[in-house]
């Protein structure tokens, strides 16, 4: 018991010595405690104003590039190849001869048929003259006319057959790889090469059926492809499919884009932007928006420089700006820098107002 009293007495004496020996330490601690009870200084912020500016209305979709005209060239009949008159990737003119099949037999038959046609024509003319003199009967004249018509039909038939031995370019364009060689035997189903008109390309893309009313024929489009980095190609909407896909409820749109340098090729994937014009809308910098769950907020600064967390309804977005549908009005002040330190209903220190060039 006695030892406990001694310990307590020693502790009291030590505390007294410290207090009188270091009074300034106790005063500084008390001063710090008083300072911590005072109001915190207003946090510095940078603000911007709600502006009304044009906002490009763009509908974006993925599409597939197709040639303006495209065909696989095949033989019209089975036969051997006599000549191949093109190389891989050549440019072809309309009606240019590309492949010639063997037609020597048909040519010989045609020569014979043309001789018979001349003989039948001469016989018809003689019969016509004799009929005029009253020598030949009507039956003789009709027989001569029939023989002449039969000979003419034979010539026409052989001429068509000989034409079938020629593979011509149906339109001007770029040829693909050559799939045939001289002397090869080809069937009508064999593909000899491909031909694509790449002077302009078609781009088919799909949009949700709910947005079909937003697209009209003639609207401008901008096309980009990862296969041609850094380039934009401009064209217009050419056609709108009359039916929606019953499974996806999407509509197919076709745009036509000039492709004079032939950089766009069939099968490429393309990003298509349909330009629907511009209209002035309220906009704020995107960094001013705070998302909490499914709601969006901004920090509004009132006339007394007090901030209020304000819910807003957002619309379309673009790089740097977002459309505001409700919650703010033109020229409202909002915080764009210094958001983490804000407290609803507390004043702020505006150090700068940033121009909002939407």
């Amino acid at each position: 018991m006695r030892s406990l009293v001694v310990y307590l007495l020693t502790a009291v004496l030590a505390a007294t010595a410290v207090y009188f020996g270091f009074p300034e330490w106790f005063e500084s601690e008390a001063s710090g405690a008083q300072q911590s009870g005072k109001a915190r200084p207003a946090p510095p912020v940078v603000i911007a104003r709600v502006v009304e500016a044009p906002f490009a209305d763009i509908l974006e979709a993925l599409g597939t590039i197709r040639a303006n005209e495209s065909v696989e060239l095949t033989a019209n009949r089975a036969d051997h190849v006599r000549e191949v008159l093109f190389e891989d990737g050549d440019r072809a003119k309309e009606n240019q001869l590309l492949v010639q099949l063997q037609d020597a037999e048909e040519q010989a038959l045609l020569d014979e048929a043309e001789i018979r046609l001349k003989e039948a024509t001469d016989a018809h003319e003689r019969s016509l003259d004799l009929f005029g003199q009253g020598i030949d009967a009507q039956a003789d004249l009709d027989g001569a006319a029939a023989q002449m018509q039969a000979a003419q039909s034979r010539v026409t038939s052989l001429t068509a057959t000989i034409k079938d031995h020629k593979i011509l370019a149906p339109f001007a364009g770029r040829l693909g790889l050559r799939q045939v060689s001289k002397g090869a035997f080809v069937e009508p189903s064999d593909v000899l090469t491909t031909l694509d008109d790449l002077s302009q390309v078609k781009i088919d893309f799909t949009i949700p059926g709910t947005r079909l009313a937003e697209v009209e024929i003639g609207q401008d489009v901008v096309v980009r492809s990862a296969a041609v980095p850094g380039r934009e190609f401009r064209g217009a909407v050419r056609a709108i499919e009359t039916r929606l896909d019953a499974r996806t409820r999407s509509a197919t749109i076709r745009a036509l884009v000039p492709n004079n340098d032939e950089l766009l090729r069939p099968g490429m994937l393309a990003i298509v932007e349909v330009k629907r014009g511009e209209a002035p809308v309220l906009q704020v910098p995107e960094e001013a928006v705070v998302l909490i769950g499914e709601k969006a907020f901004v920090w509004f600064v009132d006339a007394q420089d007090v901030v209020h967390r304000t819910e807003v309804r957002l619309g379309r977005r673009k790089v740097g700006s977002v459309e505001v549908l409700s919650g703010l009005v033109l020229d409202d002040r909002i915080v764009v820098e210094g958001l983490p330190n804000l407290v609803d209903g507390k004043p702020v220190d505006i150090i700068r107002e940033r121009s909002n060039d939407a």
Side-chain angles (χ1 to χ4, degrees), residues 283-304:
Q283 301 178 44
V284 297
E286 58 182 354
E287 61 267 33
V289 179
V290 179
L291 298 176
I292 302 177
E294 296 183 354
K295 296 184 178 181
F297 300 87
V298 297
W299 288 97
F300 165 72
V301 183
D302 64 17
Q304 288 72 43

Side-chain angles (χ1 to χ4, degrees), residues 18-321:
V18 170
Y19 176 79
F20 286 102
F22 304 95
E24 61 278 0
W25 184 82
F26 283 92
E27 291 175 0
S28 65
E29 287 297 310
S31 175
Q34 291 176 358
Q35 289 291 336
S36 63
K38 291 183 179 179
R40 297 173 59 187
V45 296
V46 176
I47 66 169
R49 294 185 182 267
V50 179
V51 299
E52 187 176 60
F55 198 107
D57 195 356
I58 298 175
L59 177 61
E60 188 174 275
L62 291 176
T64 301
I65 297 175
R66 306 182 187 279
N68 182 45
E69 300 290 349
S70 181
V71 67
E72 291 183 338
L73 296 175
T74 61
N76 295 320
R77 60 196 311 114
D79 217 322
H80 288 87
V81 175
R82 192 177 76 191
E83 286 183 282
V84 179
L85 302 171
F86 72 96
E87 295 298 333
D88 299 335
D90 278 356
R91 181 177 294 280
K93 298 179 180 179
E94 185 176 359
N95 292 324
Q96 177 180 330
L97 178 61
L98 303 175
V99 178
Q100 174 67 61
L101 302 182
Q102 290 287 2
D103 62 352
E105 182 179 351
E106 289 76 9
Q107 285 286 358
L109 293 174
L110 178 61
D111 291 342
E112 181 182 349
E114 288 177 339
I115 293 173
R116 293 187 179 278
L117 174 60
K118 186 177 185 308
E119 292 175 348
T121 302
D122 292 343
H124 178 261
E125 290 179 353
R126 287 195 301 270
S127 180
L128 186 61
D129 184 53
L130 293 173
F131 178 78
Q133 298 177 29
I135 299 174
D136 271 2
Q138 181 67 47
D140 297 327
L141 179 61
D142 292 344
Q147 290 181 4
M148 183 181 67
Q149 291 174 359
Q152 179 63 64
S153 297
R154 177 64 172 164
V155 169
T156 302
S157 175
L158 287 170
T159 301
T161 300
I162 290 173
K163 185 177 180 181
D164 279 348
H165 284 70
K166 302 177 185 294
I167 291 86
L168 308 177
F171 50 82
R174 179 75 64 180
L175 293 165
L177 301 180
R178 181 163 62 89
Q179 305 293 343
V180 66
S181 297
K182 181 178 180 179
F185 184 83
V186 295
E187 300 279 357
S189 59
D190 294 340
V191 177
L192 308 182
T193 189
T194 59
L195 178 64
D196 294 306
D197 175 12
L198 301 178
S199 60
Q200 54 185 358
V201 292
K202 298 171 183 173
I203 302 178
D204 292 347
F205 58 97
T206 58
I207 62 171
T210 54
R211 305 197 66 178
L212 185 58
E214 301 177 22
V215 181
E216 297 178 357
I217 294 176
Q219 282 178 327
D220 293 335
V221 300
V222 175
V223 176
R224 297 189 303 275
S225 175
V228 192
R231 286 289 302 271
E232 288 187 347
F233 303 86
R234 300 182 181 275
V237 174
R238 175 66 177 272
I240 301 173
E241 180 59 78
T242 56
R243 300 181 181 180
L244 270 64
D245 187 296
R247 182 173 53 87
T248 62
R249 307 300 177 190
S250 60
T252 300
I253 312 298
R254 173 167 291 176
L256 201 60
V257 177
N259 186 39
N260 295 327
D261 48 10
E262 297 186 356
L263 293 177
L264 298 177
R265 295 299 181 96
M268 284 183 178
L269 184 67
I271 299 174
V272 185
E273 293 182 351
V274 181
K275 301 290 187 178
R276 300 186 59 246
E278 295 185 349
V281 297
L282 294 181
Q283 301 178 44
V284 297
E286 58 182 354
E287 61 267 33
V289 179
V290 179
L291 298 176
I292 302 177
E294 296 183 354
K295 296 184 178 181
F297 300 87
V298 297
W299 288 97
F300 165 72
V301 183
D302 64 17
Q304 288 72 43
D305 293 346
V306 174
V307 293
H308 305 277
R309 196 178 76 169
T310 303
E311 184 176 354
V312 293
R313 188 163 64 92
L314 304 179
R316 298 160 297 175
R317 296 174 180 269
K318 65 179 180 180
V319 178
S321 295

